[in-house]
Amino acid sequence: MNRFIEFTAPGIAGLRPYVPGKPVSELERELGITDSIKLASNENPLGPGPRARAAVAGLLDDLARYPDGGGFELRNALAAFHGTEAGSITLGNGSNDVLDLIARTFLAPGHEAVFSEHAFAVYAICTQAVGAASRVAPAHDGSRGPRFGHDLAAMGELVGDKTRVVFIANPNNPTGTWLAKDELHAFIAGLPAHVMVVVDEAYAEYVQEDAYPDATRWLPRHPNLIVTRTFSKAHGLAALRVGYGLSHPDVAELLNRVRQPFNVNAPALAAAHAALDDREHIEKSVALNRAGMAQLTAGFEAMGLDYIPSAGNFVCVDVGRCAAEVDALLLREGCITRPVGNYGMPRHLRVTVGLEEENRRFLEALERVLEC
Ligand SMILES: *Cc1c(COP(=O)(O)O)cnc(C)c1O
């Protein structure tokens, strides 16, 4: 018997690791197939823009050097972009790293984090990893807000003396549901001062809704607010792992105490800096996403399948039966998508919006699979 399990830090023994989308190479190795498509991890099907590519290529001669541990240039560029100061920015190895820094800075055994049912899986993982408890609010049932969406009133009811962090994904992954400006701002303004509220805006660039808020605007008035953003989604840089948090400078200073000095590598710093102002690539990516979303949802409607309206670059479709089984059949067709049973949605498949050709192949495969 291995007894090490008894000696782990609180929370670790019961921790279930994050399940990532299957890499294309793994599927092709397992099935001996080629030419498969991956619509499983909300990556930008166009990849990074030309400026980010050039920045990475230009870094090849510097790989022997440690990166700038303070991320001076990127933090200054981000500060200018968001109209804030560099001291309010915390760089992360992906925004998941920032979420983890927040948990390590503000949560400990005896504390609680509040988030919604069906919320992004990393909130539960980083909470449990530091020995704190998760309080999960039921999502909307469709009567007072979008079905599967965060119910802020229900979340507010779970906030108490032990609460230190509230995680809100806007829009949320995997549901694609989003919160409007007035509702979200009222919730944040009503939180007690001992609670840090994290608004995770990983998909902000994709959202086309007029009532969708840019929560970074609220930072000057709310010192307990942290907004996270990433270069992994619309900027197409998931492989490089770079994201950031925006907060009151005193909060950023705390997060930066916990941060590993070289958590963001040099190609990532350079590519993110180059990508930040590349409006053209973002606009192209957003336009492609809008068309692809229309293509996918029209396909679902034609098949009589229900889906959750999404503001992101992915959509959850109700396949009317165990989605893990449908996923297994789709894999044989060379299509990697994401069943979301681990999110309490056993009949939904989350599909990332891909290129037109990828979306078409996926819809055709889904139709074949559901017919049999
Ligand atoms: C993808 C995602 C992230 C972050 O991913 P990183 O690659 O670590 O930046 C954060 N939040 C949500 C809701 C996501 O879907």
Side-chain angles (χ1 to χ4, degrees):
M1 268 298 264
N2 189 341
R3 294 188 57 227
F4 290 111
I5 198 88
E6 296 167 31
F7 308 121
T8 57
I12 303 296
L15 197 58
R16 294 220 211 118
Y18 182 80
V19 184
K22 200 189 233 331
V24 166
S25 56
E26 186 180 317
L27 176 72
E28 298 192 342
R29 208 163 48 234
E30 282 173 8
L31 294 184
I33 58 174
T34 54
D35 196 30
S36 53
I37 56 173
K38 183 184 178 203
L39 301 175
S41 301
N42 304 345
E43 295 141 338
N44 183 339
L46 295 177
R51 296 196 208 173
R53 287 173 200 262
V56 173
L59 244 275
L60 290 179
D61 289 337
D62 289 331
L63 293 182
R65 304 269 174 220
Y66 278 99
D68 171 8
F72 179 85
E73 284 178 17
L74 178 57
R75 284 170 88 206
N76 277 289
L78 287 168
F81 183 81
H82 288 288
T84 180
E85 52 187 295
S88 45
I89 289 154
T90 307
L91 297 181
N93 190 259
S95 56
N96 281 343
D97 187 27
V98 181
L99 298 172
D100 198 54
L101 293 176
I102 294 166
R104 284 160 60 205
T105 304
F106 293 105
L107 293 171
H111 293 158
E112 294 177 353
V114 171
F115 48 87
S116 174
E117 183 187 14
H118 314 307
F120 186 45
V122 168
Y123 311 148
I125 293 173
C126 65
T127 298
Q128 189 169 343
V130 296
S134 291
R135 301 291 308 274
V136 183
H140 276 306
D141 61 9
S143 57
R144 287 172 305 114
R147 195 162 166 239
F148 298 102
H150 289 14
D151 180 344
L152 292 178
M155 290 175 69
E157 279 173 30
L158 297 183
V159 173
D161 292 345
K162 295 185 197 159
T163 312
R164 291 293 179 277
V165 179
V166 175
F167 290 107
I168 295 170
N170 198 30
N172 182 45
N173 168 20
T175 58
T177 51
W178 59 281
L179 293 159
K181 193 181 279 175
D182 295 350
E183 183 189 11
L184 182 56
H185 186 254
F187 176 79
I188 292 170
L191 284 171
H194 68 275
V195 175
M196 296 300 306
V197 54
V198 181
V199 180
D200 176 347
E201 297 186 336
Y203 301 95
E205 296 86 351
Y206 283 115
V207 185
Q208 305 278 290
E209 311 286 344
D210 289 340
Y212 175 74
D214 171 356
T216 66
R217 296 289 152 83
W218 302 331
L219 286 164
R221 274 172 297 141
H222 297 282
N224 61 336
L225 170 64
I226 306 173
V227 182
T228 59
R229 296 273 183 109
T230 183
F231 287 92
S232 299
K233 306 290 161 59
H235 289 288
L237 293 170
L240 288 180
R241 315 301 305 125
V242 51
Y244 57 101
L246 292 139
S247 65
H248 189 283
D250 293 350
V251 172
E253 196 272 325
L254 291 171
L255 298 174
N256 276 290
R257 288 185 201 180
V258 179
R259 187 180 66 84
Q260 290 284 327
F262 304 113
N263 65 332
V264 183
N265 67 70
L269 290 171
H273 189 178
L276 185 62
D277 289 324
D278 195 345
R279 283 307 318 162
E280 205 182 318
H281 188 63
I282 290 286
E283 277 163 24
K284 203 169 147 192
S285 303
V286 170
L288 180 78
N289 188 61
R290 190 182 326 152
M293 183 68 84
Q295 182 188 2
L296 286 175
T297 54
F300 298 150
E301 279 161 24
M303 282 183 253
L305 300 175
D306 207 15
Y307 61 88
I308 308 174
S310 169
N313 66 339
F314 55 88
V315 55
C316 274
V317 57
D318 183 343
V319 292
R321 58 168 121 145
C322 171
E325 283 171 25
V326 173
D327 172 58
L329 296 169
L330 283 170
L331 289 175
R332 310 206 148 270
E333 302 267 347
C335 287
I336 310 174
T337 60
R338 191 76 151 268
V340 285
N342 59 326
Y343 281 96
M345 300 161 68
R347 298 196 330 178
H348 283 86
L349 212 53
R350 191 194 67 197
V351 190
T352 304
V353 177
L355 300 171
E356 186 187 7
E357 160 78 6
E358 294 173 322
N359 300 332
R360 187 181 55 71
R361 275 182 55 190
F362 159 72
L363 287 169
E364 287 170 4
L366 182 65
E367 192 160 26
R368 275 195 298 278
V369 160
L370 292 179
E371 267 166 11
C372 75

